[in-house]
Amino acid sequence: MTAFSRFTPLISALPSTVPFVGPEAIERQRGRPVLARIGANESGFGPAPSVLAAIAASSGEIWKYNDPENHALKTALAAHLGTAPANIAVGEGVDSLLGLIVRLVIEPGMPVVTSLGGYPTFNFHVNGFGGRLVTVPYVDDREDLEGLLAAVKRENAPLVYFANPDNPMGSWWDAASITAFARALPETTLLVLDEAYCETAPAGSTPPIGDLIDLPNVLRTRTFSKAYGLAGARVGYAIGTPGTVLAFDKIRNHFGMARLSTEAALAALADQAYLAEVLGRISAARDRISAIARANGLDPLPSATNFVAIDCGGDGVRARAIVDGLMEHGVFIRMPGVAPLNRCIRVSAGLAADLDLFEASLPKVLKTL
Amino acid sequence: MTAFSRFTPLISALPSTVPFVGPEAIERQRGRPVLARIGANESGFGPAPSVLAAIAASSGEIWKYNDPENHALKTALAAHLGTAPANIAVGEGVDSLLGLIVRLVIEPGMPVVTSLGGYPTFNFHVNGFGGRLVTVPYVDDREDLEGLLAAVKRENAPLVYFANPDNPMGSWWDAASITAFARALPETTLLVLDEAYCETAPAGSTPPIGDLIDLPNVLRTRTFSKAYGLAGARVGYAIGTPGTVLAFDKIRNHFGMARLSTEAALAALADQAYLAEVLGRISAARDRISAIARANGLDPLPSATNFVAIDCGGDGVRARAIVDGLMEHGVFIRMPGVAPLNRCIRVSAGLAADLDLFEASLPKVLKTL
């Protein structure tokens, strides 16, 4: 296959691996439809009716570029969070913001600290800019704050990634520990505090905005993809000091946000009653997933997210067989990528019908192992 | 304003300038609403009714991430273009693809050839990756193919940008000249052939897909933002050899496309009858804009796009006064950024009411100069 001959050495050396294979690709590869889509930590409960109404009301405006300053969304988020619009950067999903953050900080060869088995898309971007990943193993299925801090100091790393609650394990830390971690970091180390699942986390596990907002070396990232049910809209945001946030403007795709996505996010944010309802349904779904796991002799881990990691009592081969076996029944789930996390499968909260199929299929799959 | 202290030297040296100020920002700055939005080469004729129906039908699916492989859209585009899905990369608007292309090829200090006054967002990305812009003046308000080729060879440039038809002047070349230019380039120079306005161009000005599809050093970029009326959706694509196109997968935001945007693009592509109708309306609007210009003693340039550049018979100061003066009447237009192109204003095709306001306001503004 003939390609252009003069890509940069960095690009030429990159593999073509992708962070995640989508369920649609699995459907095409297997020739089998996904019947229960509970693998990507989307929200099968969907967005609020008020969100669908907002999309309908604004779809005729889709011929207009979106406001490149994202004024309305930044203003609404600031009011919701109790901070200022200047503290917020908006992007096409957190994945996009993670790429920009890596680009802002990392030159080829620089060390970047993250957890061994942490979010693959962050690693994808670090590799894409030539950074050198320094990984710290999980301890008791939690990211290791102490180990991360030690690695940062040992490596003089300019960037560290930490997710609270964590994906893929669903574990979490208390707010005080996270605040202490952030404040203990050298000011020459930028912390990406990924809070994609903060809405589903227990009280006391997410530091108040004000507790970290003065730190120029902290960016907290959040999303409308999870609890708000808008994964397909691609709306994420980062919270930081005005000076740090302003750096995104130097390199971001100013006209990158889709107009209806922004309208959807604005409506979702305004409908906190619907969010509260969904949080109740997510909590109930987590309980049911855990009960199904236990009924099958598996060990569900506690979860602060919209999914449950289930310890299948073996290694990655066994978990992979369960993931693949469930897909034979049309149940799409995922699993962590590296040991020892990959003894687990990861099942997202979903509708009763989705969990019914999971419940019916899991014992059949386990019987074949 | 306190910012993180360890951004890369490249980032630290970048200005915070943005490629374009949006009309919403102008409204906020001026405290005056845009009544005729004919400045960003959007399509005020809007998308097809079938597109709005497709959005309505799929909006309930917005909780799902989009297929990261963009299988359906690539397949539909390939069928439409008479090529293969492997020849196509999809991105969040051409702006996003331009950023990826620059990143694939440019390391700090490398020369990048473009026209003096060409698309500012391309330049934004070149600066963002530390490239060195080498600009070639327009000749007779057209990009200078011969001059661009000479600059490429003189500089041994790995990247050259050329738009056909051109923005901001609306001018164009014939297909044979463009094909000859592409084939005359060193194979170590990647040509970005920006064809954002190809739908509105006269017959014989766009090379058939097959004429350039064998060249690994050519990427043709196209968009749903202009004639298709979907600027707010952010859907662009690049056409090239499978090997070159595959490089995007190494660095792109795989989950970056908004789901409803993809559905909108699929529906728009399927409704070629609506596109044909819009093309007629764009042509009529161009004629009317030109007539209004002439009636006011100004000189409209021929246009192959959905806008008309109008020579205002002076310099950039005079054109700027007209742009600013029209905004006082609620008419949002733009103008080229550099001399001698900035003797012109640029007016996008729009609805009759928009052009009515332009027609009524222009003589009032000219009288004040």
Side-chain angles (χ1 to χ4, degrees):
Chain A
M1 197 153 51
T2 321
F4 179 60
S5 59
R6 202 179 172 187
F7 291 128
T8 69
L10 172 61
I11 295 294
S12 299
L14 284 177
S16 289
T17 50
V18 301
F20 290 104
V21 178
E24 298 83 2
I26 295 172
E27 286 179 321
R28 290 190 291 270
Q29 288 160 10
R30 298 270 198 112
R32 183 177 286 278
V34 167
L35 304 174
R37 187 169 162 130
I38 47 176
N41 304 342
E42 301 157 329
S43 180
F45 309 114
S50 59
V51 167
L52 298 180
I55 292 171
S58 61
S59 63
E61 309 278 290
I62 198 171
W63 63 273
K64 300 177 183 173
Y65 288 107
N66 208 347
D67 171 18
E69 298 184 357
N70 298 303
H71 179 80
L73 185 54
K74 282 162 62 167
T75 302
L77 283 167
H80 177 71
L81 298 168
T83 182
N87 291 111
I88 296 168
V90 170
E92 309 91 323
V94 168
D95 285 358
S96 167
L97 292 168
L98 290 177
L100 294 174
I101 291 169
V102 174
R103 184 177 158 197
L104 287 171
V105 176
I106 296 303
E107 295 184 304
M110 282 183 170
V112 178
V113 174
T114 186
S115 298
L116 180 61
Y119 191 45
T121 304
F122 178 74
N123 297 358
F124 171 81
H125 289 305
V126 171
N127 289 328
F129 287 101
R132 179 170 55 83
L133 283 164
V134 176
T135 55
V136 176
Y138 282 61
V139 172
D140 295 336
D141 297 321
R142 279 207 300 188
E143 295 193 64
D144 176 13
L145 284 175
E146 203 172 310
L148 291 166
L149 181 60
V152 161
K153 291 184 172 173
R154 187 181 69 239
E155 300 275 351
N156 183 23
L159 187 60
V160 57
Y161 173 90
F162 175 76
N164 186 63
D166 176 65
N167 175 19
M169 301 310 282
S171 52
W172 69 99
W173 283 84
D174 62 285
S177 297
I178 290 159
T179 299
F181 172 73
R183 295 202 170 269
L185 286 168
E187 62 183 40
T188 50
T189 302
L190 184 69
L191 166 64
V192 180
L193 177 55
D194 186 342
E195 301 183 317
Y197 299 95
C198 64
E199 290 86 3
T200 54
S205 62
T206 302
I209 292 296
D211 286 10
L212 297 174
I213 200 64
D214 64 310
L215 293 176
N217 65 326
V218 173
L219 283 171
R220 306 171 74 164
T221 57
R222 298 185 177 186
T223 183
F224 285 89
S225 297
K226 304 301 175 187
Y228 284 107
L230 291 175
R234 316 315 302 123
V235 184
Y237 56 102
I239 310 161
T241 63
T244 297
V245 160
L246 204 60
F248 288 102
D249 281 350
K250 296 182 171 190
I251 59 169
R252 72 186 175 93
N253 183 6
H254 287 261
F255 287 84
M257 293 299 295
R259 193 173 188 94
L260 303 190
S261 297
T262 298
E263 295 298 334
L266 280 166
L269 192 66
D271 198 339
Q272 292 293 313
Y274 181 81
L275 178 68
E277 181 195 323
V278 165
L279 294 181
R281 298 179 75 182
I282 289 173
S283 178
R286 283 195 309 228
D287 290 346
R288 181 158 176 220
I289 293 167
S290 299
I292 294 169
R294 281 191 209 98
N296 284 276
L298 308 179
D299 182 22
L301 274 54
S303 170
T305 63
N306 72 343
F307 62 84
V308 179
I310 299 171
D311 185 339
C312 297
D315 59 6
V317 176
R318 178 173 159 89
R320 168 56 56 198
I322 295 172
V323 169
D324 289 347
L326 283 169
M327 183 59 206
E328 291 299 306
H329 296 270
V331 179
F332 165 64
I333 65 166
R334 284 199 174 120
M335 60 181 282
V338 301
L341 314 185
N342 66 0
R343 71 188 193 284
C344 296
I345 58 173
R346 199 192 68 178
V347 182
S348 307
L351 297 171
D354 298 328
L355 300 191
D356 289 347
L357 186 59
F358 172 62
E359 183 169 34
S361 307
L362 182 60
K364 296 178 194 162
V365 171
L366 291 174
K367 211 171 287 180
T368 66
L369 298 185
Chain B
M1 199 154 50
T2 320
F4 178 59
S5 58
R6 201 178 172 186
F7 291 130
T8 70
L10 173 59
I11 294 295
S12 299
L14 284 177
S16 288
T17 52
V18 301
F20 291 103
V21 178
E24 297 83 1
I26 296 172
E27 286 180 322
R28 289 189 292 269
Q29 288 159 10
R30 299 270 199 110
R32 184 176 285 279
V34 167
L35 305 173
R37 186 168 163 131
I38 48 175
N41 304 339
E42 301 158 329
S43 180
F45 308 115
S50 60
V51 167
L52 298 180
I55 292 170
S58 61
S59 62
E61 308 279 289
I62 198 170
W63 62 274
K64 300 177 183 173
Y65 286 107
N66 208 347
D67 172 18
E69 298 184 357
N70 298 302
H71 179 80
L73 185 54
K74 283 162 62 166
T75 302
L77 283 167
H80 178 73
L81 298 167
T83 185
N87 292 111
I88 297 168
V90 169
E92 309 92 323
V94 168
D95 284 358
S96 167
L97 291 167
L98 290 177
L100 294 174
I101 291 168
V102 173
R103 183 176 158 197
L104 287 171
V105 175
I106 296 303
E107 295 182 307
M110 281 184 169
V112 178
V113 174
T114 187
S115 298
L116 180 61
Y119 190 46
T121 304
F122 178 73
N123 298 358
F124 171 81
H125 289 307
V126 171
N127 290 329
F129 288 101
R132 180 170 54 84
L133 284 164
V134 177
T135 56
V136 177
Y138 283 60
V139 173
D140 296 335
D141 297 322
R142 278 208 300 189
E143 294 193 65
D144 177 13
L145 283 176
E146 203 173 309
L148 290 166
L149 181 60
V152 162
K153 291 183 173 175
R154 187 182 68 240
E155 300 276 351
N156 183 25
L159 186 61
V160 58
Y161 173 90
F162 176 76
N164 186 64
D166 177 66
N167 176 20
M169 301 309 282
S171 53
W172 68 100
W173 282 85
D174 62 284
S177 297
I178 289 159
T179 299
F181 171 73
R183 294 200 172 274
L185 286 170
E187 61 183 42
T188 49
T189 302
L190 184 70
L191 166 63
V192 180
L193 178 55
D194 186 342
E195 301 183 317
Y197 299 94
C198 65
E199 291 87 3
T200 55
S205 62
T206 302
I209 292 295
D211 286 11
L212 298 175
I213 199 68
D214 64 309
L215 293 175
N217 65 327
V218 174
L219 283 171
R220 306 171 73 165
T221 57
R222 297 186 177 183
T223 183
F224 284 89
S225 298
K226 304 302 175 186
Y228 284 107
L230 291 173
R234 314 317 300 125
V235 184
Y237 56 102
I239 309 162
T241 63
T244 298
V245 161
L246 204 59
F248 287 102
D249 281 348
K250 296 182 173 190
I251 59 169
R252 73 185 175 92
N253 184 5
H254 287 262
F255 287 84
M257 293 297 296
R259 192 173 189 94
L260 303 190
S261 297
T262 296
E263 296 297 335
L266 281 166
L269 192 67
D271 197 340
Q272 292 293 312
Y274 181 80
L275 178 67
E277 181 195 322
V278 165
L279 295 181
R281 299 179 75 181
I282 289 172
S283 178
R286 284 195 307 228
D287 290 347
R288 182 160 175 221
I289 294 166
S290 300
I292 293 169
R294 282 191 208 95
N296 284 275
L298 308 178
D299 183 21
L301 275 55
S303 170
T305 62
N306 72 342
F307 62 85
V308 178
I310 300 171
D311 185 340
C312 297
D315 60 6
V317 175
R318 178 174 159 87
R320 169 57 54 198
I322 295 172
V323 169
D324 288 346
L326 283 169
M327 184 59 206
E328 291 299 305
H329 296 270
V331 179
F332 165 64
I333 66 165
R334 285 199 174 119
M335 59 179 285
V338 300
L341 313 184
N342 66 0
R343 72 190 192 283
C344 297
I345 59 173
R346 199 193 68 178
V347 182
S348 308
L351 296 170
D354 298 328
L355 301 190
D356 288 348
L357 186 60
F358 172 62
E359 184 169 33
S361 307
L362 182 60
K364 296 179 194 161
V365 171
L366 291 174
K367 213 171 285 179
T368 66
L369 299 184

